Structure formats: C-alpha cells, structure tokens
Amino acid sequence: MHYQDRLLGVAIFPFYGVIAMKKSLLALSAAATLAGGLGFVSSAHAIIVQDDAVASVPATVMGGVQSGGVGHVLFTPYFSTVNGNVTLISLVNTDTTNGKAVKVRFRGAANSDDILDFTVLMSPGDVWTASIEPSLTGVSRILSPDSTCVLPRQLGTDGVDFRTSRLDQKLSADAQALHTREGYVEYLNMANIKPGTDLFKAIKHKDGVAPCTSSELSKLMNTDVVAYSDAADHGLERPTGGLFGNWSIFNNLNITSYGGGHASVRAVDGTGANAAARLFFAPQMGADASAVAAANTADPLLVGGEAGVTRNTEFEGVSYAPDAAVAALVPPLWLDLPDLSTPYTQADTSPQARAHDLSESLAAKTIMNEFVATPSTASVPFATDWVFSQPTRRYQTAMAYSTGGANLPVNAALPATDRHYKAGTAGNLSVSARTVGTLALGDFLCAKGSFSGTDREEFQAVTSGDFSPLVVAGSAPICGEVATLSFNSDTSKVLNAQLTNARVNVKNASDYVTAGWASLGLNTPTNSTNVRGVPVVGYAATSFTNGLTNGNFGDAIAHRYGF
C-alpha cells in the first residue's frame, strides 16, 4: 500500500462534504520544476495582468481578520506532517456565479520560506480539497483526488513534493526536509473567472468533473502582459472573494484530530460591504519579475531592505553595518506574485502599507488561553500545546541564507514607528541556531516577550525576560514564523511538533501547575509607536486519554487577545 493510501483510501474527505476517491480526468503536463512552484507549460498565448490601479477599484480597505470567516484572503495558521500527522485542507467558493483564480502558497514554520505554491481555478460553488502528508523522500507532499483545475498541473493522488530550493542550502537533506514538514498556508483570490468565457467553460464542472481544457489553461502559463482593460476578454475580472475553508490535523498513530476554519480577510467598500478588489494575475512560472516586484511585494529578500544586525557583519563577501541598505538577495519570479503584501484596495498605497495594515488587523500585545497538562501517570492524562502563527512577519523581516558563513536577517525599509518586527539594533527579533536531537536546523528569528501562568485557584506563577537567545528557567523561546509551546513537557505530546517547538513550565514553587490559564506578551521594536502589538493568530490544542475506554480525544480552542 502506498503511503498516501493511508488517508485517501479510507475516505476522510467526506469530512469536508466531498467524496474522497473523486478522480481527475485530465492533468496538464509540467515542463520544469522551479523554486517554490510546481513547474509550467508553455504556450504561444499569454496572460499577466498587473496594471489594475488600486485607486480605481471599488474596495477601499481590507476589513478585520475573522477566524473561520468568509473573505478574499485566507490563511491556515499551521500545517504539520511530522510524527504521524497528516493535514487536510479545504477551500470553498460561495460565489455561485463566478469562478475564482486562487493563489495557494505554503510557507515554512521557521522563516516563512516559500516551499510550494500553485493556482487553483474554482468553478462557482466549488469545493477544493487536499491532503498534506510526508513523502517517501522525507519532505511534505500534497495530494488531491479533486477534479478542480490546478495550475501548473493537477496534483492527483500521486501528489507533488514540496520544494527545498528556497531553504538554507548549507543544511543537510534531512534538515531541509524537516523544514517542509511544518508551516502555514496563504490563499489569495487573484481574480474572478467571468461566466460565458472560454476560460470559464474550461474550469466549470460538468457532470461532476471540471474539464480543465488544456488549450485554454495553457494560455494562463506565459509571461506576455495583458492590459487590465483587456482582461475580461481572457476571462478574468476583479476578485470579489467569497472564499472560506477548513483545516484539520489528523494523527494516525494516536488517533486524534484537531481542526478549525481558515482565518479570513474581506475587501470592503466605505460602507463595510463586500467589494471587488484589484485584479493581479501572475502565471505559475519561474521567469524574472524584478521589473514589477518593488510595486507588488514588501518581501525584503525580493526587493531589498536593511541589515538586521547589531554590529558589522559580512554576508557573501559584503560587510553590512547595522541598518545598512541591502539589495534584493533572492531574484523575484512571477510565481512569487501576488502575496499578502500585494496592493489590493484603495488604501494600499504601497506593498509596505498593505503589509502594515494587515499586520495591524492581527496585532495584539498579549495572547491568552487555557491549558491542562497533567502527568502521564494520571488516570486521565491531559497535554496542551499552543500554536502561534505570524503570517505577516515575512513582509517586515526575513532571513537571507549564505552559501557559506553567516546568514543575514533583512528588515523591510520602514519608518521606525511603523515596525511590528525588527532584527538588530532596537529590535524585537534575534537570531538563534536550533537543533532537534543531533540534527542542526540552522538559524531562526526568535521573539522577545514575557510569560505568566495562573492556576484555577488564582495562584499566579510569572516568568518574564528575553525569550531568545537566552532561555530562562521556566520559560521558552518563541522561535520561528509559526511557533509551538508545550506545557510542562519536553516534547510536544499533542501536535507532535518538532521544528519550532519549545517547553514552557508553569510552577507553584517546585510543583507544576497542571491546569489554568496563561498569558504570553510579545514586545514590539523599541521605537514602534504606531503599532498595536505583534501580529499573531493561533490556538491551544489539548489532548486527553481515557484509559478505561481506550479513547483519545482532542480539542482546538482559539486564542484570546489583549491590546
């Protein structure tokens, strides 16, 4: 039995209201494998739409982030394929008139590196589903029996392996593979697909199957530019959102699952009503996009930024002083666009403004939730892990990897007052090398903050200080774009997390507090007076076992936030 048959063969996909063994009848051929993407098919026809001006779109702003809501932009806070985990995701188009072109991007938990991206072309009222599992080579792999069209090609039940070319190439193959096993997911509605057009007919389900007509879909896989005024002739219109979806992490070893809805953000008009946003369609191709990158992404590795160091540091033969200008270090490709910082509404005067506003909608000074963590010898043992996902950190601070020597944190070039994140002088991020066992995982950006815990009888145990790189007794570093904390345990007993996991102890004198609530405060950079806090979403995952009935149970409860 193939490894993917463990889940697909037992029809878990009905959890999302679809049939697990639904097969695709057509797969587009792939001609190349590229950084972060799946490859491409070439065509004499073409389409890139990137000249739609935000000043003219109906949407004035992006609304607030809603957990499990409906919107134009979604993100899954955490996926995992480690230690028996499999993650299922779904994407639903509630628009029963228009199709949707949706960019899906997986980013690693450590430093939000692009580890896979592709485009899903949904018909009206469509549901797309996929399973993320470990592959035989050790990296994550995505599989989907769904017939919904995907560019550059259908995922199928053989699946597509995640990519490691954007990771630190100094790491071993095993370490690079582990960097693909935990992370988060972005979904961005790039465009509506106009009813009645040839493209619409190519992606519209007929008798339960999308035809995915190759002659039409191949027209979306080239780098010739089409003006926004002509986009409708190619089947594309401004995106109106209407997307939602769910995630679920299953573990086959201990028979538990945890799930929830993707976080969502809507583009709205001045009255708060749903509105059409900017049309930006880019092909799944590894061709150079440097000419348009600065206007369409805030990613400091793609467009340049400032050195996030506290002393002169040499990187690839160049010496950088603190806050010195850094040119783009990763060549921007069309498959890198759009992203969560791409201007989308009238308020988005730049990618940096878009990233700042989205960060503000997620920002909090404290994160609060409950925990239960009893000894494994208890009659009903409980364990709790917390998940912290920071989906906008990439657009303010990223890690550049050297071919040899030290890596370099790079901050976006922003006013000091507008930073949610900063590495280096007066920053809230520092660099820490991490290992799992004897496996060196490379450099992570880690956050400063304070932690406190309270039991159910009002006793308060407080631990505070610089979480990283110094790990103080009873505390833990918050390292990575997606971090996990395990209460009173050296290992993650709930989510089986590895890449960014750390222990946190809550104690009353020498005794562990086994149940209560806790609060984590994360600091902003020293001079950041124009931000509300640190952008974060997440949840507490708790498991418990009934030894009498041999029952395993799991629950995921969203964090609460203080400002």
Side-chain angles (χ1 to χ4, degrees):
M1 177 180 289
H2 283 282
Y3 61 93
Q4 61 262 35
D5 293 337
R6 296 197 312 269
L7 278 181
L8 294 177
V10 297
I12 287 184
F13 279 101
F15 177 82
Y16 293 129
V18 298
I19 299 174
M21 297 312 293
K22 183 170 61 172
K23 299 287 186 178
S24 168
L25 300 183
L26 179 68
L28 297 177
S29 63
T33 298
L34 299 166
L38 300 176
F40 66 90
V41 292
S42 62
S43 172
H45 303 284
I47 190 165
I48 291 174
V49 183
Q50 54 90 22
D51 68 334
D52 188 12
V54 292
S56 64
V57 303
T60 56
V61 296
M62 297 294 285
V65 175
Q66 182 180 6
S67 178
V70 179
H72 293 63
V73 177
L74 311 176
F75 41 89
T76 306
Y78 178 63
F79 76 85
S80 172
T81 66
V82 295
N83 297 325
N85 286 344
V86 170
T87 301
L88 304 183
I89 56 174
S90 70
L91 188 63
V92 180
N93 178 15
T94 66
D95 188 336
T96 56
T97 301
N98 301 290
K100 305 289 175 181
V102 183
K103 183 76 167 187
V104 180
R105 179 175 287 111
F106 289 81
R107 292 189 181 273
N111 295 315
S112 64
D113 299 305
D114 188 349
I115 49 180
L116 194 73
D117 62 70
F118 49 87
T119 298
V120 179
L121 304 173
M122 307 183 73
S123 61
D126 193 9
V127 179
W128 174 77
T129 59
S131 170
I132 303 97
E133 307 183 5
S135 73
L136 296 179
T137 62
V139 299
S140 286
R141 169 173 287 192
I142 185 168
L143 310 96
S144 177
D146 205 300
S147 73
T148 297
C149 304
V150 175
L151 292 176
R153 62 181 173 87
Q154 300 299 98
L155 302 174
T157 53
D158 289 332
V160 173
D161 284 2
F162 283 25
R163 308 313 198 210
T164 60
S165 56
R166 288 276 177 89
L167 301 175
D168 189 343
Q169 297 302 297
K170 301 187 299 297
L171 300 178
S172 68
D174 287 344
Q176 290 184 42
L178 185 56
H179 275 273
T180 73
R181 302 285 293 274
E182 296 175 81
Y184 65 102
V185 195
E186 305 170 348
Y187 314 81
L188 176 63
N189 185 190
M190 295 188 289
N192 279 6
I193 300 175
K194 184 179 179 180
T197 61
D198 290 340
L199 178 58
F200 185 86
K201 295 172 185 176
I203 61 95
K204 178 71 172 68
H205 282 68
K206 183 178 181 180
D207 297 327
V209 176
C212 303
T213 311
S214 59
S215 60
E216 287 302 317
L217 299 195
S218 65
K219 297 176 183 179
L220 303 181
M221 295 297 296
N222 211 313
T223 56
D224 291 344
V225 175
V226 171
Y228 165 69
S229 57
D230 296 326
D233 295 336
H234 295 264
L236 299 179
E237 294 184 318
R238 286 170 171 162
T240 56
L243 302 175
F244 79 88
N246 297 291
W247 59 270
S248 187
I249 298 174
F250 288 83
N251 189 282
N252 287 327
L253 302 179
N254 56 24
I255 318 299
T256 54
S257 66
Y258 309 88
H262 305 317
S264 69
V265 191
R266 292 191 305 142
V268 297
D269 63 18
T271 69
N274 199 76
R278 180 192 180 202
L279 167 57
F280 187 110
F281 185 90
Q284 285 294 141
M285 294 189 62
D288 176 49
S290 57
V292 302
N296 291 290
T297 181
D299 188 325
L301 297 192
L302 299 180
V303 299
E306 300 170 350
V309 295
T310 57
R311 62 181 184 275
N312 287 1
T313 301
E314 184 171 310
F315 177 81
E316 299 292 80
V318 178
S319 181
Y320 292 96
D323 301 324
V326 179
L329 297 173
V330 175
L333 308 175
W334 280 111
L335 52 74
D336 291 315
L337 301 173
D339 61 26
L340 296 186
S341 69
T342 302
Y344 206 54
T345 71
Q346 293 180 29
D348 303 336
T349 55
S350 68
Q352 290 74 25
R354 168 88 292 274
H356 177 272
D357 290 350
L358 180 57
S359 295
E360 277 293 276
S361 67
L362 291 164
K365 293 187 182 300
T366 57
I367 301 97
M368 299 166 283
N369 215 323
E370 294 182 74
F371 68 92
V372 187
T374 60
S376 58
T377 55
S379 57
V380 180
F382 283 77
T384 296
D385 288 348
W386 279 14
V387 171
F388 305 92
S389 186
Q390 304 166 82
T392 63
R393 196 185 78 180
R394 176 73 183 201
Y395 307 108
Q396 294 195 26
T397 303
M399 183 72 75
Y401 304 122
S402 68
T403 56
N407 296 325
L408 180 70
V410 182
N411 297 312
L414 297 172
T417 57
D418 292 350
R419 296 181 185 275
H420 299 86
Y421 301 101
K422 185 178 187 291
T425 304
N428 60 339
L429 298 175
S430 56
V431 178
S432 179
R434 289 178 59 84
T435 61
V436 170
T438 61
L439 186 63
L441 297 176
D443 289 335
F444 290 58
L445 289 167
C446 303
K448 300 176 180 180
S450 58
F451 180 85
S452 65
T454 303
D455 70 11
R456 290 176 175 174
E457 309 304 327
E458 301 183 48
F459 169 79
Q460 187 173 31
V462 179
T463 300
S464 62
D466 183 348
F467 275 27
S468 177
L470 177 65
V471 181
V472 295
S475 183
I478 302 299
C479 289
E481 183 96 359
V482 181
T484 55
L485 287 182
S486 295
F487 280 74
N488 301 340
S489 175
D490 288 329
T491 60
S492 169
K493 297 178 180 178
V494 184
L495 296 172
N496 303 293
Q498 283 188 308
L499 188 63
T500 64
N501 193 63
R503 174 178 180 142
V504 61
N505 296 329
V506 184
K507 284 187 172 183
N508 178 352
S510 61
D511 297 326
Y512 288 109
V513 176
T514 58
W517 70 278
S519 174
L520 175 69
L522 293 174
N523 299 338
T524 56
T526 302
N527 300 313
S528 297
T529 58
N530 193 32
V531 300
R532 295 198 307 164
V534 172
V536 63
V537 294
Y539 56 91
T542 297
S543 67
F544 57 100
T545 302
N546 187 329
L548 296 178
T549 62
N550 295 317
N552 295 322
F553 304 91
D555 197 10
I557 301 173
H559 293 320
R560 277 67 165 185
Y561 306 96
F563 306 98

